[in-house]
């Protein structure tokens, strides 16, 4: 039985990746931060599974600030694969918390890589890089596109990206970076623009609010479906040689287009409910991100099948169902 360790397992990608690996027969270890309240809601479906998969999922307290703790955890669990998905992942918030973002997203990665070396672990390592590293470089962006980050988040992730490349070359570590473009789902955090829109639609439809406040409606993003992207992560670590990959749909859409389609799916006119708020503008904006996934398609056989219109519809449907369940007093579970 292969085993994997996932930082950020309680997030959108971490929960989908845990499910995928369990389906493939892995033993899965997840790193969670200590909190006074439970923050494992995205994993509830796994623990409620009546089959044996929940007996192959183990959660451990840990933190990317704690290098010694990471060494001890790696020695204890001895994973075959390590997926570093833990991060402060909100771009706008990174301007407000730049030092924290750099410590977790940048230095946290080198702490984990050093922990692998200190534990003398023979494993494969996946680093969650991001399209935000491209920043101001014009699309389409591929593995050969110059980086030009426009936020503390993008800059911290770029440090982590190059550190991963360096450890691969310096220590012959099987270490890869997945440069993933935006990927969404019903498990997306509620402060991210796509989920903010679809959650607002459900509440507007139910008469609980009238407007949703957004920032730059002209920003172009390449939006895909998160469960497909975690499959791409796994494929990167099964490849014969360690190398970096872009995962993207290859199609760019504006925030306005996403909102228009999402509201229309619910039978609503977006222009009657969307308001602009300068507070949601970034100090430096990334105008357009649209990836070129040719390398992943050629070498991994990976290709996105869910595109922005279908994605908006499934997220709207999920948020409407969730709110209906909440209003009906029933327990809510976020499904695929």
């Amino acid at each position: 039985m292969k085993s994997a360790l996932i930082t950020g397992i309680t997030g959108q990608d971490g929960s989908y990746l845990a499910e995928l690996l369990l389906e493939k027969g892995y033993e899965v270890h997840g790193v969670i931060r200590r909190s006074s309240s439970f923050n494992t809601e995205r994993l509830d479906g796994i623990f409620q599974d009546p089959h044996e998969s929940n007996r192959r999922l183990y959660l451990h307290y840990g933190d990317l600030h704690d290098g010694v703790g990471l060494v001890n955890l790696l020695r204890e669990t001895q994973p075959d694969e390590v997926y570093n998905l833990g991060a402060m992942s909100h771009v706008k918030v990174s301007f407000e918390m730049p030092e924290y973002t750099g410590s977790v997203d940048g230095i946290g990665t080198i702490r984990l890589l050093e922990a692998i070396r200190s534990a003398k672990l023979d494993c494969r390592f996946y680093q969650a890089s991001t399209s935000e590293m491209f920043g101001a470089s014009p699309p389409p962006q591929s593995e050969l596109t110059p980086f030009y980050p426009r936020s503390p988040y993008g800059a911290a992730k770029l440090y982590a990206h190059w550190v991963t490349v360096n450890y691969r070359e310096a220590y012959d570590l099987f270490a890869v970076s997945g440069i993933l473009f935006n990927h969404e789902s019903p498990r997306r955090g509620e402060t991210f623009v796509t989920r903010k829109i679809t959650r607002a639609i459900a509440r507007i439809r139910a008469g609980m609010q009238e407007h949703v406040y957004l920032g730059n409606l002209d920003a172009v993003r390449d939006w895909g479906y998160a469960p497909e992207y975690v499959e791409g992560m796994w494929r990167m670590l099964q490849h014969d040689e360690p190398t970096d990959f872009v995962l993207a749909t290859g199609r760019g859409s504006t925030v306005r287009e996403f909102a228009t389609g999402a509201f229309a799916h619910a039978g609503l006119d977006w222009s009657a409910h969307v308001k602009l708020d300068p507070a949601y503008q970034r100090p430096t904006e990334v105008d357009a991100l649209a990836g070129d996934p040719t390398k992943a398609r050629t070498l991994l056989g990976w290709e996105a099948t869910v595109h922005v219109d279908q994605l908006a519809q499934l997220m709207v449907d999920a948020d409407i169902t969730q709110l209906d369940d909440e209003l009906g007093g029933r327990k809510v579970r976020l499904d695929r």
Side-chain angles (χ1 to χ4, degrees):
M1 183 187 299
K2 293 179 74 173
S3 65
L5 184 139
I6 304 171
T7 69
I9 195 171
T10 59
Q12 169 189 253
D13 290 4
S15 64
Y16 282 125
L17 179 61
E19 287 183 345
L20 176 72
L21 296 178
L22 289 169
E23 289 170 1
K24 293 182 179 296
Y26 280 65
E27 178 180 282
V28 176
H29 298 269
V31 182
I32 61 173
R33 287 176 294 175
R34 173 70 178 89
S35 173
S36 59
S37 59
F38 292 111
N39 62 348
T40 57
E41 296 88 354
R42 292 183 177 96
L43 302 173
D44 285 350
I46 299 175
F47 286 113
Q48 293 166 6
D49 185 348
H51 300 99
E52 67 173 10
S53 61
N54 59 338
R55 282 172 258 152
R56 290 184 283 110
L57 174 61
Y58 305 91
L59 301 181
H60 308 264
Y61 288 119
D63 198 297
L64 288 171
H65 285 107
D66 180 10
V68 173
L70 292 172
V71 173
N72 292 335
L73 180 57
L74 289 167
R75 284 175 175 163
E76 174 189 348
T77 57
Q78 293 288 306
D80 299 294
E81 298 170 3
V82 175
Y83 295 85
N84 185 29
L85 310 186
M88 201 307 291
S89 58
H90 198 287
V91 177
K92 178 66 166 62
V93 174
S94 77
F95 285 98
E96 301 166 19
M97 304 176 67
E99 182 178 345
Y100 175 78
T101 302
S103 179
V104 175
D105 297 11
I107 304 302
T109 301
I110 204 166
R111 290 190 189 105
L112 186 52
L113 286 165
E114 273 297 289
I116 290 171
R117 286 210 316 128
S118 297
K120 296 180 171 54
L121 191 64
D122 182 14
C123 69
R124 297 190 172 198
F125 177 81
Y126 173 86
Q127 167 60 22
S129 289
T130 171
S131 58
E132 288 287 335
M133 299 188 309
F134 293 121
S137 291
Q141 292 107 350
S142 73
E143 296 83 0
L144 301 179
T145 301
F147 296 120
Y148 191 157
R150 299 269 285 171
S151 67
Y153 170 72
K157 281 290 192 175
L158 184 56
Y159 175 86
H161 175 85
W162 280 119
V163 161
T164 301
V165 172
N166 181 251
Y167 271 61
R168 179 170 70 215
E169 296 175 348
Y171 303 115
D172 198 28
L173 179 67
F174 194 109
V176 306
S177 286
I179 308 172
L180 273 55
F181 282 66
N182 293 61
H183 45 288
E184 322 293 312
S185 76
R187 298 183 191 175
R188 189 58 145 150
E190 295 173 358
T191 61
F192 290 86
V193 67
T194 51
R195 184 77 195 287
K196 183 177 179 180
I197 290 168
T198 61
R199 185 170 179 269
I201 288 169
R203 293 173 61 83
I204 290 168
R205 179 178 172 273
M208 298 175 68
Q209 71 182 65
E210 186 175 354
H211 299 110
V212 59
Y213 295 88
L214 303 176
N216 182 9
L217 297 180
D218 296 317
V220 174
R221 294 295 183 267
D222 184 328
W223 280 302
Y225 186 38
E228 295 185 335
Y229 283 57
V230 300
E231 168 77 23
M233 297 177 190
W234 176 78
R235 291 192 186 194
M236 290 180 207
L237 292 195
Q238 314 317 306
H239 191 57
D240 291 338
E241 298 293 333
T243 183
D244 304 326
F245 290 94
V246 162
L247 296 187
T249 70
R251 305 179 188 179
S253 302
T254 64
V255 174
R256 180 182 286 102
E257 289 168 335
F258 183 94
T260 301
F263 273 90
H265 182 63
L268 298 170
D269 178 5
W270 78 277
S271 62
H273 300 285
V274 173
K275 301 282 188 180
L276 299 182
D277 187 341
Y280 293 112
Q281 299 277 357
R282 302 178 187 177
T284 48
E285 183 58 78
V286 173
D287 295 324
L289 296 173
D292 177 1
T294 301
K295 182 179 177 182
R297 183 171 59 246
T298 303
L299 297 184
L300 301 179
W302 181 90
E303 189 168 9
T305 64
V306 177
H307 295 278
V308 64
D309 292 339
Q310 184 182 354
L311 177 65
Q313 292 172 14
L314 70 86
M315 290 179 66
V316 168
D317 290 343
D319 271 319
I320 289 174
T321 298
Q322 175 174 335
L323 185 59
D324 287 347
D325 285 348
E326 289 174 349
L327 296 176
R330 297 189 299 277
K331 181 174 173 57
V332 177
R333 174 186 169 190
L334 292 180
D335 290 317
R336 293 191 182 204

